[in-house]
Amino acid sequence: MLKEERQHLILDKIKLNRKVLSADLSIELQVSEDTIRRDLNELSAKRLIKKVHGGALPIDTKAPPYEERKFSNLKEKNSIAKKAVRLIKDGQVIIMSGSTTNLQLAKIIPADINATIYTYSLPIALQLTEHPSLEIIFIGGKLNKPAQVTVGLDVVSSISQLRADLCFMGTGGINVTNGMTEPNWEVSHIKKCMIEASEKVIVLCTSNKINEVKRYPVTPITRINTLITDLSSKNEIFTPFKEKGVKIL
């Protein structure tokens, strides 16, 4: 195995498991621990991992501000939104998280739809005010300025009292082993409450977040009803998701 291939595998394992041990990698990749240590040192020098005694951890980076994120991957997000909007029906009660993909969804909800939408996202609430017949309920709380969402106990308390038909949410990362994960603890807790309050959970996810793992767990993969991405539902990357009962759109 070439060094580049070996280091790529090491990075994949860190993303999946949140850590690696040099001794385990040595056995699995059939190279010496010295070779593994050199690999980890090189990856650390490139700031791709955090080297620790006996192994390595991922480097957690802060998500860019909302205003920056909402202009990235627009083609993919619009593709996802067009698939998701078909699930919205008259009379539904819906909760929407603060993802920028949900913002694109909010822009294309048909004008003849009558539904109730709860959100703690300021941009999404403002976007929905342009819709002629939706009832919009903004969940107030402490404002997280970079993300433009409300957080805190008030948000959690309000969501815990709801019963929704659908929950549309973005994610920091999703895979079969770890389920859905988030880089922010407060957001992860709010999303747990959203899931508890909802009959069906719909995850909107650009393909770059598939098989990504963030620090804080939200829910096991088996609690997710539908995963909507910009990829074809026939893509083989979804095979393990389908085996767990997740519908792919």
Side-chain angles (χ1 to χ4, degrees), residues 56-247:
L57 301 171
I59 293 178
D60 286 314
T61 57
K62 292 183 179 180
Y66 193 92
E67 285 299 313
E68 181 180 331
R69 287 188 287 121
K70 75 179 184 180
F71 294 113
S72 66
N73 300 318
L74 274 179
K75 181 180 178 181
E76 292 83 354
K77 291 172 184 176
N78 285 328
S79 171
I80 294 168
K82 288 175 183 177
K83 296 178 185 180
V85 76
R86 299 197 298 264
L87 302 178
I88 299 178
K89 309 296 182 185
D90 272 342
Q92 288 178 328
V93 176
I94 297 166
I95 311 177
M96 295 180 75
S97 76
S99 80
T100 53
T101 307
N102 271 340
L103 179 62
Q104 298 308 115
L105 172 59
K107 293 178 180 179
I108 63 169
I109 297 174
D112 60 347
I113 289 287
N114 290 282
T116 299
I117 298 183
Y118 289 83
T119 186
Y120 56 96
S121 164
L122 187 56
I124 288 174
L126 291 172
Q127 177 63 48
L128 291 173
T129 62
E130 299 181 14
H131 195 285
S133 56
L134 290 175
E135 181 179 9
I136 306 135
I137 301 175
F138 179 65
I139 303 171
K142 181 180 69 175
L143 185 65
N144 179 317
K145 293 179 183 179
Q148 296 188 25
V149 296
T150 53
V151 294
L153 291 176
D154 290 339
V155 179
V156 170
S157 177
S158 296
I159 292 175
S160 66
Q161 297 176 49
L162 302 179
R163 290 310 306 166
D165 300 295
L166 298 180
C167 167
F168 288 107
M169 66 167 62
T171 181
I174 187 169
N175 72 10
V176 169
T177 303
N178 302 87
M180 199 174 87
T181 54
E182 286 293 326
N184 180 282
W185 182 86
E186 286 187 303
V187 171
S188 73
H189 195 59
I190 289 170
K191 288 187 175 181
K192 287 178 184 180
C193 293
M194 290 175 64
I195 291 168
E196 287 297 317
S198 302
E199 184 70 24
K200 292 185 177 180
V201 178
I202 318 297
V203 176
L204 279 54
C205 173
T206 49
S207 54
N208 60 306
K209 295 181 179 179
I210 298 171
N211 292 331
E212 283 286 305
V213 182
K214 301 302 180 183
R215 181 181 296 275
Y216 300 105
V218 175
T219 192
I221 197 69
T222 51
R223 181 61 181 90
I224 294 169
N225 299 95
T226 304
L227 175 62
I228 306 179
T229 80
D230 50 290
L231 300 177
S232 166
S233 61
K234 297 179 181 179
N235 192 302
E236 63 182 20
I237 197 173
F238 298 124
T239 299
F241 291 86
K242 293 175 181 177
E243 290 172 352
K244 293 292 185 178
V246 180
K247 183 177 180 180

Side-chain angles (χ1 to χ4, degrees), residues 3-116:
K3 181 176 73 171
E4 289 77 13
E5 294 177 296
R6 190 172 62 245
Q7 291 185 358
H8 182 73
L9 285 173
I10 291 171
L11 288 172
D12 284 345
K13 288 184 176 297
I14 291 177
K15 285 182 180 179
L16 183 63
N17 301 313
R18 302 296 297 168
K19 67 177 181 180
V20 292
L21 299 176
S22 300
D24 292 344
L25 289 172
S26 173
I27 295 170
E28 184 172 350
L29 301 178
Q30 298 183 337
V31 294
S32 69
E33 285 195 47
D34 284 340
T35 298
I36 295 298
R37 277 192 287 269
R38 286 194 293 271
D39 286 336
L40 296 182
N41 284 334
E42 287 185 22
L43 293 171
S44 177
K46 296 175 182 177
R47 299 191 59 76
L48 297 175
I49 63 169
K50 180 181 180 181
K51 179 85 163 52
V52 296
H53 180 70
L57 301 171
I59 293 178
D60 286 314
T61 57
K62 292 183 179 180
Y66 193 92
E67 285 299 313
E68 181 180 331
R69 287 188 287 121
K70 75 179 184 180
F71 294 113
S72 66
N73 300 318
L74 274 179
K75 181 180 178 181
E76 292 83 354
K77 291 172 184 176
N78 285 328
S79 171
I80 294 168
K82 288 175 183 177
K83 296 178 185 180
V85 76
R86 299 197 298 264
L87 302 178
I88 299 178
K89 309 296 182 185
D90 272 342
Q92 288 178 328
V93 176
I94 297 166
I95 311 177
M96 295 180 75
S97 76
S99 80
T100 53
T101 307
N102 271 340
L103 179 62
Q104 298 308 115
L105 172 59
K107 293 178 180 179
I108 63 169
I109 297 174
D112 60 347
I113 289 287
N114 290 282
T116 299

